[in-house]
């Protein structure tokens, strides 16, 4: 694709329902919505008025004085960006008077600007340069001998962009982008008049300020003041490929901008449904892992994990895998092998892996990493609402009046959605945070939660039940909604009204004062549109599924389902975790969440696939591990997941992987799981993929290749060729054919095709004859299951408890700059901000153990020990410690137990009884030390 640059209309659009008004601009009649600026009205008619401070992603500011116009009946020359249209208005944008004024304004700008256009990295991509040409500037009468800003020092401290204040025109676009779009408010205009300048924090360097490196300021800058280092090094890009970010579940649409075949930068797409022109530090900048020297580009095999790797060609590797799988099945039975799909791969790549397992392996032993994160979401929402996915699109938060944030830290885990949420909170929405840790949204610039219910880890069900108890006993139930659209309410109401669920009764369990719970419940029930957003702090518990159902009960009881600004919304972790579930990656479900025991559904697949399918569910990931250790499960295909680092109780996982006769790992890098592998198949990065991702709001986005597969093979081809080599012919000419097959077999995807996605940009499933362009809001008139179902949610305490030996509770989470197990982000400059996992510990707990800030400590549980550096923090209450899991050398999951959710086996990462002590020389080594070093590949 040639270089694609969206047209900037100068100011934001008016509301879609604005009354139409007609004006005359340069003699041309123009009809626009009431409230539209003159600048935007002109641009919509193809009349470009010069501008510098104005952009359609920010509210009008009116500082540059370049967009002046003349309006009949009005004195002076008003700024067109801050002047709204009025019926019958007559406007002139080009007159000798305006030309002279604009030239004078531009002359002043240029008089204090370096005249180095030919060597400037923004040459050819600079709005100041463009506007100088547009206004016809031909001379600068003011010399440079007076006071100026030309010698100001550059700030190169940020790993991804430079700040050159000598080129700044003080338009405030970067400052406004940081505040209005990102909501961080890290930038300001310091000083007045001639002394005014952009400043990061209190005169700090960018790297030392509150800047989160989202890049909104860089994108907003009209000059080379803020410039990507990649552009300085490689030059201005010349072509664009539209694709989708491969990090978190927000699913940002990005423009990959290239110079020749070299990727220069990522720019968020203003038309992206999920992000609307915004991105975060990972999506915008952290793409260098795709060309990192650690990338493995050739298949490798070895007889034993202790042997050196041997590089082979693709045919040899695929034949080897097929023969070994068949040998295992011949000896141990068809159920002795299985596969794990990846939430980082496309829908099409995931689909062919589960098809390989079911049709070529002949069993249902397929699972996905969603097992260890959001499987309780699927179960809980299916039981109550009838569909295993969130209810809203991300835009819906703009209509929320009350936001209940449970077990989620979106500023770190889902930063682009967090920016949307913060914008709504600044506009007046109220926030209730339920989390053991004081996340940033509890209090940050211009935001403060109305309530922070800082509960004890493991008491989620108790506190959500207590909220519902207040709703029922205070008479706050929306009976009209409940009577019309739900079932099972009376039984549930009797259950939830019992004294055992009152805030006073559960206060000793949750640790949250009863009056806070009552106030939060009343706010949720009476504050207008109320939306629930939740994360892994809900699902990764022994009662994860129960908590999801409890939140669904709360939403139904208050009528907060089925319209804008409400709903129950999971913030999913990985880029395609929703899609991997949609594609049939669970052992009990075919694509579209249809149970394998459903004869009608199974017959449809059998007829198309021409292969009988098993009607009994297969093994879940924990069952695979247990069966590997007992010897009945012998072969495993792992697509793009580092289970040795990401799954709980690392020692147990290592034992299971060591027991396998064949472990096939398909990934970008030789990760921790690959240390146990017999075959390594190189995968492709998102820059090489052609297919689709499905984000947390059910939005199906196109992923388009920026470059050819560096491995010489598309990732979807690999399972197809293995299946074919095992005797089940499976081939496609293009991934669009895979999506066509998905649409043929999956009702919620029935109307999806690459052609439709290319035309519309994206759609949200269900997409079918009833909703040909998708479904932004679910359960509008009725629930998918018909009536919403209230489910009594009994609180059952976790079996993981503290003791004298393990007196603290460990909970885990993520950090903004790193992603999941860090395989990608650790191979980018993002390590600048987070070089290791650390243990946050309350000063009270640290003092009693003689631990100081930065001290090396051992973290021990009933199943393992690891070593970290301590950071003293009061974000957690005494008795609770916190760490991330981005570095294999730390191996935080060596201490997490294999306790799991009762319904789905989702691990209980968030509650582990531990002890923390100063490390001594006799302490156990870290998990990274225990694993053997990687064997060197050889030809």
């Amino acid at each position: 694709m040639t270089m694609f640059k969206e047209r900037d209309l100068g100011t934001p659009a008016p509301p879609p329902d604005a009354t139409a008004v007609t004006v005359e601009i340069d003699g041309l009649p123009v009809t626009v919505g009431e409230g539209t600026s003159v600048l935007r009205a002109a641009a919509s008619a193809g009349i470009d008025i010069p501008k510098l401070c104005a952009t359609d992603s920010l509210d009008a500011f009116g500082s540059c004085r370049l967009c002046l116009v003349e309006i009949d009946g009005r004195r002076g020359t008003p700024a067109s960006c801050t002047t709204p249209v009025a019926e019958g208005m007559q406007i002139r944008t080009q007159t000798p008077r305006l030309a002279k004024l604009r030239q004078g304004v531009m002359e002043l700008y240029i008089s204090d600007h370096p005249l180095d256009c030919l060597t400037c990295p923004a040459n050819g991509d600079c709005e100041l340069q463009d506007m100088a040409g547009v206004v016809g500037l031909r001379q600068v009468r003011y010399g440079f001998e007076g006071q100026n800003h030309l010698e100001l020092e550059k700030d190169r401290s940020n790993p991804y962009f430079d700040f050159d204040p000598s080129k700044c025109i003080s338009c405030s676009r970067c400052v406004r982008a940081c505040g209005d779009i990102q909501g961080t408010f890290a930038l300001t205009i310091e000083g007045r008049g001639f002394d005014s300048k952009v400043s990061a924090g209190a005169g700090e360097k960018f790297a030392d300020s509150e800047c989160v490196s989202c890049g909104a300021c860089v994108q907003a800058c009209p000059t080379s003041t803020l410039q990507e280092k990649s552009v300085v090094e490689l030059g201005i890009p010349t072509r664009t490929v539209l694709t989708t970010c491969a990090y978190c579940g927000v699913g940002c649409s990005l423009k990959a901008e290239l110079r020749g075949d070299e990727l220069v930068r990522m720019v968020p797409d203003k038309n992206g449904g999920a992000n609307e022109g915004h991105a975060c530090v990972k999506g915008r900048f952290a793409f260098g892992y795709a060309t990192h020297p650690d990338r493995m580009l050739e298949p490798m095999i070895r007889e034993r994990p202790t042997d050196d790797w041997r590089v082979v060609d693709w045919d040899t590797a695929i034949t080897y895998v097929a023969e070994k799988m068949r040998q295992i099945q011949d000896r141990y039975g068809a159920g002795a092998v299985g596969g794990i799909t990846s939430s980082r791969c496309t829908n099409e790549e995931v689909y062919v892996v589960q098809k390989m397992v079911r049709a070529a392996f002949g069993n249902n032993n397929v699972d996905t990493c969603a097992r260890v994160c959001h499987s309780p979401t699927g179960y809980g929402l299916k039981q109550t609402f009838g569909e295993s996915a969130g209810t809203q699109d991300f835009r819906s938060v703009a209509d929320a009046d009350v936001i209940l944030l449970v077990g989620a830290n979106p500023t770190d885990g889902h930063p682009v959605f967090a920016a949307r949420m913060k914008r709504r909170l600044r506009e007046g929405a109220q926030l209730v945070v339920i989390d053991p840790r004081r996340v940033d949204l509890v209090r940050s610039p211009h935001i403060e939660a109305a309530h922070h219910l800082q509960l004890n880890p493991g008491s989620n069900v108790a506190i959500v039940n207590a909220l519902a108890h207040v709703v029922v006993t205070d008479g706050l139930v929306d009976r009209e909604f409940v009577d019309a659209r739900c079932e099972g309410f009376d039984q549930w109401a009797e259950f939830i009204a019992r004294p055992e669920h009152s805030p006073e009764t559960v206060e000793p369990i949750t640790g949250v004062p009863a009056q806070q719970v009552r106030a939060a419940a009343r706010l949720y029930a009476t504050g207008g549109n109320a939306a629930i957003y939740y994360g892994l702090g809900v699902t990764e518990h022994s009662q994860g599924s129960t908590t999801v159902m409890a939140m669904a009960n709360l939403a139904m009881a208050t009528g907060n389902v089925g319209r804008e600004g409400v709903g129950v919304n999971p913030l999913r972790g990985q880029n395609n975790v929703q899609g991997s579930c949609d594609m049939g990656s669970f052992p009990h479900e075919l694509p579209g969440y249809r149970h394998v025991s459903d004869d009608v559904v199974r017959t449809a697949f059998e007829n198309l696939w021409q292969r009988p399918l098993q009607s009994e569910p297969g093994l879940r990931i924990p069952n695979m591990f247990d069966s590997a250790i007992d010897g009945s499960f012998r072969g495993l295909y792992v697509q793009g997941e580092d289970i040795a680092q990401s799954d709980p109780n690392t020692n147990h996982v290592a034992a299971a992987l060591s027991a396998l006769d064949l472990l096939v790992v398909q990934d970008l890098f030789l990760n921790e799981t690959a240390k146990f592998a017999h075959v390594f198949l190189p995968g492709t990065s998102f820059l090489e993929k052609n297919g689709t991702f499905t984000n947390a709001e059910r939005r199906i986005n196109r992923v388009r290749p920026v470059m050819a597969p560096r491995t010489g093979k598309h990732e979807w081809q690999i399972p197809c060729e293995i299946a074919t080599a095992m005797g089940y012919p499976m081939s496609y000419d293009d991934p669009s054919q895979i999506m066509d097959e998905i649409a043929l077999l999956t009702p919620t995807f029935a109307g999806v095709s690459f052609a439709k996605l290319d035309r519309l940009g994206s759609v949200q499933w269900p997409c079918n004859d009833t909703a040909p362009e998708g479904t932004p809001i679910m359960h509008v008139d009725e629930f998918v299951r018909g009536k919403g179902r209230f489910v009594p949610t009994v609180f059952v305490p976790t079996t993981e408890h503290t003791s004298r030996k393990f007196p603290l509770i460990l909970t885990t989470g993520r950090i903004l700059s790193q992603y999941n197990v860090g395989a990608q982000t650790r191979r980018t400059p993002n390590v600048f901000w987070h070089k290791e996992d650390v243990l946050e510990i309350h000063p009270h707990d640290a003092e009693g153990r003689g631990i100081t800030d930065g001290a090396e400590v051992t973290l021990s549980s009933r199943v393992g020990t690891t070593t970290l550096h301590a950071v003293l923090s009061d974000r957690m209450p005494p008795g609770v410690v916190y760490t991330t899991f981005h570095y294999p050398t730390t191996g935080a999951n060596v201490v997490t137990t294999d306790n799991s959710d009762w319904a789905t086996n989702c691990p209980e990462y968030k509650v582990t009884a531990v002890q923390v002590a100063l490390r001594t020389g006799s302490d156990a080594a870290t998990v990274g030390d225990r694993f053997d070093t990687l064997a060197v590949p050889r030809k």
Side-chain angles (χ1 to χ4, degrees), residues 662-799:
L662 178 66
L663 174 60
V664 182
V665 170
Q666 180 179 315
D667 216 307
L668 303 180
F669 307 103
L670 283 171
N671 54 27
E672 299 302 305
T673 306
K675 294 177 179 179
F676 302 90
H678 305 85
V679 179
F680 183 87
L681 303 176
T684 55
S685 73
F686 82 109
L687 297 175
E688 301 147 65
K689 293 184 185 298
N690 188 5
T692 58
F693 293 150
T694 307
N695 74 352
E697 52 171 358
R698 297 171 281 104
R699 185 181 301 278
I700 307 165
N701 274 315
R702 282 282 278 119
V703 185
R704 298 179 179 88
V706 175
M707 59 186 73
R710 300 182 67 208
T711 63
K713 192 176 288 293
H714 294 288
E715 199 158 335
W716 55 266
Q717 292 175 308
I718 300 169
C720 294
E721 294 181 10
I722 291 172
T724 300
M726 293 183 68
Y728 176 70
M730 193 166 130
S731 66
Y732 304 89
D733 296 324
D734 186 84
S736 64
Q737 295 175 346
I738 305 175
M739 177 52 75
D740 291 343
E741 183 174 315
I742 294 166
L744 185 64
L745 289 168
T746 311
T748 50
F749 278 67
V752 180
S753 67
F754 279 22
K756 176 175 284 189
L757 295 173
D758 290 342
R759 176 169 56 87
L760 297 179
S762 65
V763 298
Q764 292 172 261
W765 66 257
C767 177
N768 47 35
D769 290 341
T770 304
E773 295 192 356
T775 310
I777 307 296
M778 296 280 285
H779 318 297
V780 173
D781 297 316
E782 66 175 2
F783 288 93
V784 170
R785 68 182 305 277
K787 296 279 190 178
R789 177 180 172 227
F790 281 91
V791 179
T793 49
V794 178
F795 170 63
V796 179
T798 174
T799 57

Side-chain angles (χ1 to χ4, degrees), residues 192-216:
R192 295 177 64 84
F194 181 83
D195 294 326
S196 62
K197 61 181 181 181
V198 172
S199 175
E204 304 162 295
K205 290 187 177 297
F206 268 80
D208 301 325
S209 72
E210 295 298 311
C211 170
V212 294
S213 297
C214 71

Side-chain angles (χ1 to χ4, degrees), residues 619-633 652 656 898 905:
L619 299 176
R620 297 173 173 179
I621 291 174
N623 307 133
M624 293 181 190
F625 292 159
D626 292 342
S627 298
I629 291 173
D630 72 25
S632 58
F633 187 77
H652 181 71
D898 51 12
N905 280 134

Side-chain angles (χ1 to χ4, degrees), residues 334-348:
V337 299
I340 296 175
T341 69
S342 173
S343 293
R344 290 189 289 126
C345 290
T346 65
N347 286 318
E348 295 73 19

Side-chain angles (χ1 to χ4, degrees), residues 849-866:
R849 292 165 172 80
I851 296 170
T852 56
D853 199 56
E856 194 171 22
V857 298
T858 56
L859 175 69
S860 303
S861 72
R862 294 179 175 93
V863 299
T865 298
T866 189

Side-chain angles (χ1 to χ4, degrees), residues 406-660:
V406 190
N409 184 11
T411 55
D412 278 14
H414 304 83
V416 172
F417 174 72
R420 284 185 185 269
M421 183 182 288
K422 288 190 289 185
R423 197 175 312 142
R424 179 60 187 143
L425 294 172
R426 293 195 303 274
E427 292 169 350
Q430 298 290 297
L431 176 66
V432 177
V433 176
I434 302 179
D435 202 293
R437 189 168 177 259
R438 191 181 69 245
V439 298
D440 287 345
L441 285 173
V442 172
R443 192 170 191 271
S444 56
H446 300 268
I447 290 170
E448 185 168 8
H451 303 283
H452 176 204
L453 309 185
Q454 195 168 25
L455 75 170
N456 294 323
S459 60
N460 286 343
V461 173
I463 203 159
V464 178
N465 280 349
L467 294 171
H469 175 91
V470 176
V471 169
V472 171
T473 57
D474 278 14
L476 303 178
V477 172
D478 185 340
R479 287 306 307 234
E480 182 179 354
F481 180 91
V482 168
D483 292 344
R485 298 193 51 187
C486 303
E487 63 185 12
F489 172 78
D490 291 340
Q491 179 186 4
W492 173 79
E494 185 278 326
F495 161 82
I496 208 70
R498 294 172 188 170
E500 67 203 60
H501 300 304
S502 73
E504 290 74 18
T505 303
V506 303
E507 182 175 328
I509 298 169
T510 65
V512 181
Q515 67 269 24
Q516 288 188 24
V517 177
R518 289 189 176 275
R522 290 163 183 158
L523 176 61
Y524 175 83
T526 64
N529 287 338
I532 298 173
Y533 293 90
Y534 68 94
L536 302 184
V538 163
T539 56
E540 292 179 343
H541 285 272
S542 62
Q543 280 201 289
S545 294
T546 310
T547 308
V548 173
M549 291 187 289
M551 293 187 301
N553 291 336
L554 182 63
M556 288 187 291
T558 54
N560 281 304
V561 184
R563 63 182 186 276
E564 296 278 358
V566 299
V568 180
N569 307 284
L571 296 176
R572 294 188 179 259
Q574 298 199 62
N575 56 295
N576 200 36
V577 70
Q578 180 69 59
S580 69
C581 299
D582 299 341
M583 292 301 102
S585 291
F586 289 125
H588 65 293
E589 289 176 332
L590 290 159
Y593 305 99
R594 277 86 52 78
H595 203 277
V596 294
S597 63
D598 187 319
D599 293 339
V600 174
V601 171
R602 199 175 61 258
T603 298
F605 281 86
E606 290 175 337
N607 290 339
L608 187 63
W609 289 357
Q610 293 295 292
R611 182 60 60 99
L613 303 180
Q614 296 294 313
S615 60
E616 291 295 324
L619 299 176
R620 297 173 173 179
I621 291 174
N623 307 133
M624 293 181 190
F625 292 159
D626 292 342
S627 298
I629 291 173
D630 72 25
S632 58
F633 187 77
R634 317 291 293 202
L636 179 62
Y637 182 99
V638 181
Q639 176 195 40
E641 292 297 336
D642 192 2
I643 52 179
Q645 185 181 343
S646 63
D647 282 38
N649 194 350
T650 303
N651 292 326
H652 181 71
V653 177
L657 298 179
S658 298
L660 294 171

